[in-house]
Amino acid sequence: MNPPRLRRPATILYMGSLLGASACAVSSDSPTAIVDAAIAQHGGDLFENSRIRFTFRGTRFEYFRDGGAFRYERTFRDPLGSVVNEVMVNDGTRRLENGGAVALADDERMQVEYDVNSVIYFGFLPFRLRDPAARLQTLARDTVQGAPYHRIEVTFDAEGGGVDSDVRFVHWIHQDSLTLDYFGYRYSRDGGGVRFRRAVNRREIGGILVQDFENYAPADAVEDIADLARHFEEGSLDLLSLVALEEVEVTRARGLAEVDPLLPREAPGEGLELQLGIERSEYSPGDSIHAVMNLVNRSGEERALGFASAQRFDLVVLDEGGEPQARWSEGQLFAQVTGEEALAPGGTLHFESSVTAPAAPGSYYLQGSLPASGAPLPAVLPFRVVP
């Protein structure tokens, strides 16, 4: 089946996310309030300002989005051994073979968009449930294996909802943790069918909750997919496959700067993930903002960073226009000696310090960076100063 198309236009990673956090239940039965809370719990605005790379069934995918600019890409080798890159960007969809452009017929282009979009859409639910084409409805609450759940039905407008706009989804969102633990759907493409998925192997990468799914199908006809959780508990669903995302890397996009979505394949800090965490989203004027940064080597090989001085990191408070308001390194003296930090595969460099919140109330950003050659792009988190 075809999920809704990600429209062409059309980190909130708090310290608790790095060190362990809990969610708050949603008192409202509003479907938008429930879905928004679930999206926030799974990573919130990070999905709109990130570069995500992962492997799905042996094929490498890349998702990049920043300020409305986006790039979705699938890379694989064809039967003749050519390297194929299929890329969706704001102004169109294209295919490259060994670096050379290949013309796509309309049906080929639609197939590429379906294939790439499907993997990204299902791989990172619930983020796209607030797509403008989505119609949300609250169903009666449910209990699955003793845990309480909101049930949210999602259908899509024919215009902007994709080819298969008649598809119907039901999502089970935990009432306390606000995680998307199950979803079911009925589809008509390729003969149609019913599927039920259960989230497994949940882990946090770069501030985004990543999870795999066990993929089930009913042994007998199911009249209402909103009852699929009951069939699951009764054991009347057959496990078909495991939908797993592997080798997942999440890095922040460039943040406040405008970018070209057609980034080079070898971006700065390739394979290195810079994580930034703060204690909360709101501070009083002059508060100390305690920040934690982790640099994780996910490349599978040793990486070395070269530093021009003894300084190893920096923290900068930026206003909404991107103007610096405070800088951790300002006024500090660093020995002017070059140095190097080596990271083994899977290794982590840990940095921790504080910077002062601005005196004026308003919306701000905290940017964390490493002043080194070979370092990844800065990580950026929003926060507010309240009276």
Side-chain angles (χ1 to χ4, degrees):
M1 50 79 55
N2 191 19
R5 293 178 182 172
L6 299 182
R7 286 175 171 251
R8 295 191 175 94
T11 295
I12 304 175
L13 173 57
Y14 301 116
M15 195 174 299
S17 298
L18 290 177
L19 307 177
S22 60
C24 296
V26 178
S27 57
S28 171
D29 281 330
S30 162
T32 56
I34 294 168
V35 167
D36 285 348
I39 290 173
Q41 182 63 11
H42 280 255
D45 291 340
L46 293 182
F47 198 69
E48 297 296 333
N49 182 31
S50 288
R51 181 179 188 174
I52 305 173
R53 289 174 167 171
F54 61 96
T55 299
F56 176 67
R57 294 177 178 169
T59 298
R60 194 65 172 163
F61 286 80
E62 178 177 319
Y63 169 101
F64 171 83
R65 197 173 184 96
D66 184 24
F70 74 87
R71 171 193 179 102
Y72 312 145
E73 180 173 354
R74 177 173 68 169
T75 303
F76 59 94
R77 287 188 180 272
D78 68 13
L80 298 179
S82 298
V83 177
V84 178
N85 301 95
E86 294 174 333
V87 186
M88 296 171 58
V89 291
N90 295 75
D91 61 356
T93 299
R94 65 204 67 179
R95 174 183 287 154
L96 304 175
E97 292 184 7
N98 293 328
V102 177
L104 288 172
D106 286 345
D107 59 339
E108 292 175 316
R109 174 187 54 77
M110 291 178 65
Q111 187 65 47
V112 169
E113 292 179 353
Y114 168 75
D115 291 343
V116 175
N117 180 32
S118 295
V119 172
I120 291 174
Y121 179 86
F122 284 112
F124 295 97
L125 284 171
F127 290 105
R128 300 317 306 174
L129 298 187
R130 292 293 273 120
D131 187 273
R135 299 192 300 264
L136 308 179
Q137 180 178 339
T138 306
L139 305 180
R141 295 185 180 186
D142 200 3
T143 300
V144 184
Q145 296 186 331
Y149 284 90
H150 300 286
R151 277 189 301 184
I152 305 297
E153 178 189 78
V154 182
T155 55
F156 295 90
D157 294 330
E159 182 178 353
V163 175
D164 299 332
S165 56
D166 60 339
V167 69
R168 177 181 180 233
F169 292 83
V170 174
H171 299 79
W172 280 260
I173 296 173
H174 197 287
Q175 291 181 30
D176 299 325
S177 68
L178 297 173
T179 52
L180 174 62
D181 294 350
Y182 308 92
F183 71 93
Y185 58 96
R186 187 188 300 276
Y187 63 98
S188 59
R189 189 182 179 94
D190 300 326
V194 171
R195 294 291 184 267
F196 181 77
R197 294 190 181 184
R198 178 172 79 109
V200 296
N201 190 29
R202 180 176 292 137
R203 64 271 192 204
E204 182 183 290
I205 301 176
I208 289 176
L209 288 187
V210 178
Q211 49 195 18
D212 303 328
F213 287 93
E214 293 175 340
N215 184 33
Y216 294 84
D220 301 309
V222 172
E223 182 175 345
D224 187 352
I225 64 169
D227 295 329
L228 279 170
R230 175 175 56 82
H231 291 278
F232 172 74
E233 289 185 306
E234 293 173 351
S236 61
L237 302 182
D238 296 327
L239 179 61
L240 301 181
S241 62
L242 177 65
V243 181
L245 304 184
E246 302 176 312
E247 300 176 309
V248 181
E249 303 171 7
V250 178
T251 56
R252 296 288 72 75
R254 293 180 189 266
L256 300 175
E258 205 165 341
V259 300
D260 178 358
L262 296 175
L263 291 176
R265 295 295 302 167
E266 296 298 323
E270 184 79 10
L272 297 178
E273 177 187 335
L274 183 60
Q275 303 172 340
L276 175 64
I278 55 179
E279 296 169 298
R280 55 189 188 271
S281 61
E282 293 186 347
Y283 293 85
S284 297
D287 273 356
S288 178
I289 303 173
H290 187 65
V292 169
M293 277 197 295
N294 291 325
L295 180 68
V296 185
N297 182 4
R298 302 192 183 280
S299 69
E301 57 187 41
E302 183 174 295
R303 291 297 175 91
L305 280 70
F307 293 83
S309 71
Q311 182 182 357
R312 291 297 183 263
F313 70 94
D314 208 351
L315 299 169
V316 183
V317 174
L318 305 168
D319 64 19
E320 289 188 291
E323 293 298 319
Q325 303 299 303
R327 185 181 297 272
W328 171 82
S329 61
E330 187 171 357
Q332 299 197 50
L333 298 177
F334 300 98
Q336 298 303 299
V337 293
T338 60
E340 183 178 276
E341 297 286 351
L343 279 83
T348 299
L349 287 178
H350 179 78
F351 306 98
E352 197 167 336
S353 195
S354 300
V355 65
T356 302
S363 297
Y364 296 91
Y365 296 88
L366 179 67
Q367 176 179 281
S369 62
L370 306 181
S373 60
L377 297 170
V380 179
L381 285 177
F383 70 93
R384 288 183 54 78
V385 174
V386 297

